[in-house]
Amino acid sequence: MRGHFFLAWRYVMFHRWRTIILLVCLTLTLFLPSSIHLLVTNFERSLWGRSEQTPMVVGAKGSRFDLVLHALYFRARTPELISVAELTEVRESGFGQAIPLYSMYRARGFPIVGTSLDYFDFRELRIRSGRLFIHLGECVLGAEIARALELKVGDTIMSDPENVFNIAGEYPLKMQIVGILEPAESVDDQAVFVDTKTGWVISGIGHGHEDLSKTEDESAVLRREGKTIVANASLMRYLEVTEKNRASFHFHAEPEERPLTALIVVPNDQKASTLLRGRYQSAESRLQILRPQEVVAEMMATVGKVKQFLNLNFLIVAAVSGLFLALVVLLSLRLREKEIETLYLLGCRRGTVIALVATELAIVLVTSLGLGAVMMWLSRSAFELWLTRIFA
Amino acid sequence: MKVGLEKLEFGYSPEAPLFSIPELHIETGQSVGIVGPSGAGKTTLLRILSGICLPTSGRVRLGELEINTLSDAERRRFRNERVGLVFQDFRLLEYLTVRENMMLPFHIGLRQSDPNGSKTRVDMMAPRLGLVERIDAYPGELSQGEQQRVAIGRALVASPQLILADEPTGNLDESNKLKIRDLLLSYCRDQEVTLIMVTHDLQLLGDFDRVIDFSAFRSEADLA
């Protein structure tokens, strides 16, 4: 070990508490602005990436941000409902592909997304194990949920009760896990995918129960009016769709009236895109059609201003930290005047003394940079996870 | 190492020299005690002999070298390789152990010595200095006497040809004073090393080869 490096190392180690305090200050000074920069950059990338993949979104008129964030991330406030009729209309127009979204409920805190099988092709989501849902009551889990909840194909997952104190509320549904997706590094990793019909069962529009026309127990029957049987609250609903009871599940709304929260629309071409937009531009239209990229661009303009402020903040913090470090070095040199004089008296070159102090600084700075880099690396995945939940 | 001073003068202004030494010669292996009043320039003389500062005029010969003609870098090299310095206030580095302090001249030296060789040399010197048990201690854990012994070890470890000691016993009790003096004298006699020691304690100088009263060199202007 070269002389000045040895002396610098011994000095730093001997004054370890002083060094640790300096390291913590410098590491945090480096880490905090860098992490904010990384967070904002990831936020931008995440938003842009998802919006670029999603050409158009249709939903009820209202907050444009809510609709886009809901359709992209399933997390924002649920927009006003639209109906299956709107889905049919887009499909029948021949302008493009329409993918339904019905996301109002959660399972163990993760969003349940009712959709069609087209969604998986559209987002290029691949099955890691099992298969996609086919039957009512089946679900496919994103990779992150399966990992976090340690669930596998063949297990079940319950939808969260909307309100435990509302005895008239909808019952939770126990869903059969039939597939786990490969990690997609997106919000899809944290969604429970079901068929829209399963979503409607969770919302209570559809349900299954014992056939009252064949039951011998009349205690659940309030009255019979021809073919119509009115039951009381003691009628047991099925909380799980099984082979045996699947046939008993039915819906209490016309197919075209059943609700959706949004549509993802993939127009065939530019012309189809323009014509589709024209359809929803009238003031009377109950719906709006949005290009997520335009809405995200608006959001990013605000984020950009925040980022500018953060960059300015970073520069000020860096300048203050530089001054603080210079002050520490100057004070340290004053305290060490006698030591430096001794080195000189013993025949040490001035260059060696400068190299000694520079090496001490370098040890602290390099260690701070290293620690900062490790913290950034550790926080990266946390940031990405947080970003996917940012709109919750 | 032979020391020769000729017409040496030093002062903070040329008109009023602090001291003036017409001629002084010290033979190799001699031990010389320098006494004199405070402010007479004893420490300055040691600084001139070690090449830390230059005289106003005159010649300083150390062995074959005329040190006042050397460059700053050459004087530093000379000091590091051939002179051992002992200070009144020890000047040990608090963050180095006894062993590391004794090896300091090698760590800062212009020559890159063999680290194992210097370590062996420290191990050989430690028993003589009575520091075997304290070899891994830090200066803050040592008594004053022990600290001065470490400082002497640091001065001797590079096998200097000239030892310059500036009040090395100034901060020590009676028992330690004698120990330090004996240590320096016995080493210099064994190794034929020239020793020049500045002290105010006349009782320590009995065993020295020569004693020089520095007041003889003070300039007339200063005396006036």
Side-chain angles (χ1 to χ4, degrees):
Chain A
M1 201 185 294
R2 283 188 67 85
H4 64 268
F5 186 81
F6 170 77
L7 293 177
W9 178 250
R10 297 293 291 126
Y11 181 84
V12 164
M13 292 308 288
F14 184 79
H15 298 290
R16 59 178 73 87
W17 288 112
R18 203 186 298 173
T19 306
I20 287 170
I21 291 169
L22 202 56
L23 275 176
V24 169
C25 292
L26 278 174
T27 303
L28 287 179
T29 306
L30 292 168
F31 169 72
L32 289 177
S34 309
S35 60
I36 289 169
H37 180 75
L38 178 76
L39 183 65
V40 171
T41 307
N42 278 359
F43 177 71
E44 273 185 325
R45 201 179 54 225
S46 167
L47 269 181
W48 279 122
R50 194 90 173 156
S51 66
E52 278 169 5
Q53 285 174 358
T54 315
M56 291 177 132
V57 167
V58 172
K61 274 187 176 165
S63 165
R64 298 177 317 127
F65 296 120
D66 279 356
L67 176 59
V68 167
L69 292 178
H70 173 83
L72 265 54
Y73 292 96
F74 324 125
R75 297 284 178 174
R77 202 162 22 144
T78 307
E80 288 289 306
L81 296 176
I82 59 174
S83 67
V84 171
E86 272 86 40
L87 171 70
T88 310
E89 192 181 323
V90 177
R91 280 180 174 167
E92 287 178 352
S93 71
F95 291 141
Q97 182 190 17
I99 301 165
L101 290 176
Y102 182 61
S103 177
M104 294 184 69
Y105 301 93
R106 286 168 180 267
R108 296 177 70 176
F110 295 96
I112 298 170
V113 180
T115 187
S116 65
L117 294 177
D118 294 336
Y119 184 86
F120 298 93
D121 288 334
F122 169 67
R123 292 279 186 220
E124 296 178 351
L125 300 174
R126 303 276 168 262
I127 282 282
R128 189 176 67 198
S129 58
R131 57 171 173 79
L132 293 176
F133 49 75
I134 299 171
H135 302 296
L136 196 68
E138 292 178 342
C139 70
V140 171
L141 298 188
E144 176 61 25
I145 300 184
R147 189 197 62 76
L149 303 181
E150 296 178 351
L151 293 171
K152 58 186 185 303
V153 173
D155 292 343
T156 56
I157 186 168
M158 293 283 276
S159 64
D160 295 343
E162 281 300 283
N163 186 343
V164 286
F165 302 108
N166 182 5
I167 56 170
E170 300 310 326
Y171 298 103
L173 181 71
K174 192 176 187 180
M175 295 171 284
Q176 192 74 32
I177 299 167
V178 294
I180 309 284
L181 295 173
E182 277 184 5
E185 306 297 329
S186 72
V187 72
D188 295 320
D189 289 343
Q190 293 169 35
V192 179
F193 293 99
V194 296
D195 186 73
T196 45
K197 285 180 183 165
T198 305
W200 294 326
V201 170
I202 295 168
S203 68
I205 295 167
H207 58 224
H209 50 76
E210 61 178 313
D211 188 349
L212 287 174
S213 63
K214 292 175 184 169
T215 184
E216 291 173 3
D217 180 10
E218 287 294 314
S219 63
V221 178
L222 277 179
R223 62 180 184 276
R224 293 175 188 272
E225 294 168 358
K227 280 187 178 179
T228 305
I229 304 168
V230 181
N232 62 27
S234 68
L235 176 69
M236 290 291 287
R237 283 194 194 178
Y238 298 127
L239 300 182
E240 184 180 7
V241 184
T242 61
E243 290 269 340
K244 280 184 180 175
N245 68 19
R246 186 171 293 135
S248 76
F249 276 81
H250 53 278
F251 295 90
H252 288 277
E254 291 303 314
E256 292 296 294
E257 291 170 1
R258 291 174 198 165
L260 295 172
T261 48
L263 303 178
I264 291 174
V265 179
V266 187
N268 295 334
D269 51 31
Q270 186 64 41
K271 183 182 172 188
S273 164
T274 310
L275 290 171
L276 266 172
R277 292 185 83 185
R279 280 192 168 205
Y280 298 99
Q281 270 181 350
S282 69
E284 298 80 46
S285 175
R286 207 179 67 77
L287 304 178
Q288 60 179 335
I289 187 162
L290 302 170
R291 283 181 203 263
Q293 270 185 288
E294 290 174 359
V295 177
V296 166
E298 265 184 68
M299 285 173 65
M300 292 319 297
T302 311
V303 173
K305 282 177 192 162
V306 175
K307 196 180 173 189
Q308 276 180 346
F309 171 75
L310 291 175
N311 284 343
L312 181 68
N313 182 46
F314 173 68
L315 284 176
I316 293 168
V317 169
V320 170
S321 303
L323 289 172
F324 157 73
L325 191 62
L327 183 69
V328 168
V329 171
L330 285 174
L331 288 175
S332 167
L333 288 178
R334 278 196 78 162
L335 283 171
R336 297 172 67 187
E337 256 175 13
K338 194 172 175 186
E339 175 199 334
I340 290 168
E341 190 194 2
T342 303
L343 292 173
Y344 178 68
L345 291 176
L346 295 178
C348 183
R349 287 184 309 161
R350 283 193 179 83
T352 305
V353 173
I354 294 167
L356 170 67
V357 176
T359 307
E360 287 167 13
L361 265 179
I363 289 172
V364 172
L365 278 172
V366 168
T367 311
S368 299
L369 282 171
L371 282 173
V374 169
M375 285 170 74
M376 290 284 282
W377 184 76
L378 289 175
S379 56
R380 227 184 81 188
S381 53
F383 282 164
E384 280 168 6
L385 190 66
W386 182 71
L387 268 175
T388 56
R389 295 179 175 175
I390 198 168
F391 306 110
Chain B
M1 179 187 280
K2 273 187 177 181
V3 177
L5 308 176
E6 289 173 26
K7 295 178 183 172
L8 186 79
E9 282 193 351
F10 180 87
Y12 296 104
S13 71
E15 297 80 29
L18 178 64
F19 60 83
S20 176
I21 302 174
E23 193 165 9
L24 176 65
H25 294 281
I26 298 167
E27 293 303 316
T28 301
Q30 263 195 334
S31 53
V32 178
I34 297 181
V35 294
S38 296
K42 304 184 295 293
T43 298
T44 306
L45 176 65
L46 294 191
R47 290 172 74 89
I48 290 170
L49 289 173
S50 59
I52 294 166
C53 65
L54 292 171
T56 315
S57 63
R59 295 171 67 188
V60 183
R61 289 195 68 83
L62 297 171
E64 71 285 4
L65 291 171
E66 195 167 325
I67 195 161
N68 52 325
T69 62
L70 299 179
S71 69
D72 192 42
E74 286 169 329
R75 278 184 280 126
R76 267 202 310 273
R77 181 188 290 271
F78 171 81
R79 186 158 70 244
N80 178 248
E81 295 180 1
R82 298 174 70 176
V83 179
L85 288 167
V86 183
F87 308 96
Q88 181 180 353
D89 53 356
F90 324 134
R91 288 178 179 262
L92 300 176
L93 303 197
E94 58 168 355
Y95 53 88
L96 300 182
T97 62
V98 166
R99 178 193 295 283
E100 290 162 348
N101 261 296
M102 286 171 69
M103 288 170 69
L104 187 60
F106 296 104
H107 289 306
I108 61 167
L110 303 176
R111 62 182 167 182
Q112 291 300 311
S113 71
D114 169 21
N116 290 330
S118 57
K119 202 173 170 185
T120 309
R121 186 138 173 78
V122 168
D123 288 335
M124 283 168 63
M125 290 190 65
R128 189 169 187 171
L129 294 164
L131 292 169
V132 174
E133 303 290 319
R134 314 291 277 156
I135 202 76
D136 292 319
Y138 286 94
E141 300 163 355
L142 303 177
S143 69
Q144 301 249 305
E146 285 171 328
Q147 288 189 47
Q148 191 58 297
R149 277 184 270 152
V150 177
I152 289 171
R154 181 180 65 191
L156 305 183
V157 76
S159 303
Q161 293 165 308
L162 171 66
I163 294 174
L164 302 172
D166 189 4
E167 298 264 16
T169 58
N171 284 347
L172 304 178
D173 58 31
E174 290 304 317
S175 139
N176 273 311
K177 278 180 186 177
L178 294 172
K179 276 186 195 166
I180 294 299
R181 182 204 59 181
D182 293 345
L183 195 61
L184 284 169
L185 279 176
S186 64
Y187 178 85
C188 291
R189 279 176 188 151
D190 291 352
Q191 305 294 321
E192 287 214 20
V193 172
T194 308
L195 167 67
I196 300 175
M197 184 171 109
V198 167
T199 182
H200 280 109
D201 198 337
L202 300 176
Q203 290 178 325
L204 295 175
L205 299 172
D207 289 336
F208 276 65
D209 297 329
R210 281 172 74 186
V211 175
I212 296 171
D213 184 355
F214 209 76
S215 52
F217 302 130
R218 292 180 75 180
S219 68
E220 286 176 13
D222 190 40
L223 288 169

